[in-house]
Amino acid sequence: MIYTVTLNPAIDKTADIPGFCAGEVNRVQAVREDAGGKGINVSKCLKALGTQSVAAVVLAGETGKYLEKLLQKEGLETLSVQTQGQTRTNLKLVDKEAGKNTDINEPGPVVDETVLQNLLNTLCEKITPGDIVILSGSLPRGAAPDTYRRWTERFHTLGAKVILDADGEAMAEGVKAAPDMVKPNEMELTRLLDTPLDTHEKILAAGQKLLNMGISNVVITMGGDGGFFLWEEEGYRAESLSVPVQSTVGAGDSVVAAMAYGLEKNLPRQEQICLAMAMGAASVMQSGSQAPDVSTVQTLSRQVQTYAFPRG
């Protein structure tokens, strides 16, 4: 079983505003609402790929209840705990004329450690050896910076594999527990190592530092510049696909979903890579944070170019 963990979920409200201009009156052309948060996005993508997952979430107030309804509408199995306050709403402004997306993200509720511990304990009662747990996104206010590290250590004791996709201090602490896979983008990797990564050689060296920490698989996404997929004994560069962009929300989450799917199904590594790049490309072709169309993914996966290079 695959479990996704979203400790700071959101309702993603996406507004299409052609010619968006700050400080002026702007007219919304179209709007949509989706269940959001990185782990939830991963679960939606896994469902599109035809595999089951359980979305573990912290919900708060009336917006939390509405988010739960959106999750039910998506047909996602959930495991939730309740907290005080209100689940956040994130506004995504899409200006197709300028080709720009602007994210306005709320901080979300303060979550007490006892609430998080309750969710962790409930998850641990269900996890069995060989399961995959995906820890994604920002920590809620009130959570300790080492939350992902402690949770990774706990899941490892149960025989589960852990994938971490986070940023800042949450990522810096999380990698200390050597999750089985991490997926930073190049900016997140720059912040993690606190050093400029302005060449592919520097990015690869940074990826090697993570492998040296005991992490089995490092996936570095670079937007239109493609991505690196690294294991200790082998590595690949994959080129990005040229597709029409509707929204970049959830693109990285779709890559994580594809890699988790490949890990669960024990797919050959190059097949995992092609699926991941195709999922990312198909994701940006969608509006909002909805999952990509699987037939589009299948078509795009056959177009992905990968290049192997020696490791070690």
Side-chain angles (χ1 to χ4, degrees):
M1 177 62 72
I2 299 177
Y3 295 87
T4 66
V5 177
T6 312
L7 300 182
N8 197 20
I11 296 169
D12 282 343
K13 191 170 187 177
T14 304
D16 290 337
I17 308 178
F20 172 74
C21 183
E24 301 291 339
V25 175
N26 294 272
R27 304 296 180 184
V28 176
Q29 189 175 74
V31 66
R32 63 173 290 126
E33 290 181 332
D34 298 287
K38 292 179 71 63
I40 289 172
N41 293 338
V42 173
S43 278
K44 289 189 289 187
C45 290
L46 288 169
K47 185 174 186 295
L49 288 170
T51 198
Q52 185 180 6
S53 70
V54 176
V57 294
V58 177
L59 301 175
E62 292 303 314
T63 51
K65 292 178 182 178
Y66 181 52
L67 176 58
E68 192 166 33
K69 290 180 180 179
L70 291 176
L71 291 169
Q72 291 170 353
K73 187 177 179 181
E74 291 275 358
L76 299 179
E77 183 179 350
T78 62
L79 191 163
S80 65
V81 293
Q82 303 292 323
T83 192
Q84 300 296 313
Q86 295 290 333
T87 294
R88 60 188 180 143
T89 298
N90 291 338
L91 181 60
K92 317 293 185 181
L93 305 180
V94 179
D95 182 356
K96 296 177 184 177
E97 290 184 357
K100 293 182 178 180
N101 292 356
T102 302
D103 291 356
I104 303 174
N105 293 347
E106 296 181 2
V110 175
V111 180
D112 189 82
E113 180 62 31
T114 57
V115 174
L116 297 176
Q117 190 64 43
N118 183 19
L119 181 60
L120 175 60
N121 291 339
T122 304
L123 271 169
C124 289
E125 290 172 1
K126 295 181 176 295
I127 288 172
T128 58
D131 286 344
I132 299 170
V133 184
I134 301 168
L135 303 173
S136 296
S138 61
L139 294 173
R141 292 184 296 166
D146 67 349
T147 296
Y148 285 152
R149 176 180 60 77
R150 291 184 288 107
W151 284 40
T152 297
E153 292 170 345
R154 182 80 177 274
F155 296 141
H156 275 166
T157 65
L158 299 173
K161 296 180 174 66
V162 179
I163 296 173
L164 176 62
D165 181 15
D167 194 9
E169 198 170 7
M171 183 70 152
E173 285 292 323
V175 296
K176 294 177 182 178
D180 298 85
M181 182 190 126
V182 295
K183 193 221 69 65
N185 60 37
E186 56 186 316
M187 292 307 302
E188 290 165 346
L189 189 58
T190 296
R191 288 189 285 269
L192 176 62
L193 299 180
D194 193 27
T195 185
L197 302 175
D198 50 5
T199 67
H200 285 173
E201 289 75 19
K202 291 180 181 179
I203 292 172
L204 284 171
Q208 182 63 50
K209 287 184 179 180
L210 296 181
L211 291 174
N212 293 343
M213 296 176 68
I215 298 168
S216 301
N217 179 206
V218 177
V219 177
I220 306 166
T221 52
M222 303 181 293
D225 203 22
F228 287 113
F229 296 77
L230 310 177
W231 292 265
E232 188 57 45
E233 71 280 9
E234 61 183 325
Y236 297 87
R237 163 82 190 282
E239 292 187 356
S240 63
L241 296 167
S242 179
V243 296
V245 177
Q246 294 291 324
S247 172
T248 58
V249 177
D253 305 325
S254 65
V255 171
V256 171
M259 295 301 290
Y261 177 86
L263 184 61
E264 182 189 51
K265 304 300 182 186
N266 198 29
L267 297 180
R269 286 176 176 173
Q270 281 189 290
E271 191 173 333
Q272 291 182 43
I273 294 167
C274 290
L275 179 62
M277 295 301 293
M279 283 287 287
S283 175
V284 303
M285 296 170 68
Q286 303 288 327
S287 62
S289 57
Q290 58 188 313
D293 175 69
V294 70
S295 62
T296 301
V297 172
Q298 292 169 346
T299 298
L300 291 174
S301 66
R302 295 189 289 269
Q303 302 173 19
V304 177
Q305 298 291 320
T306 63
Y307 307 92
F309 50 87
R311 305 290 300 148

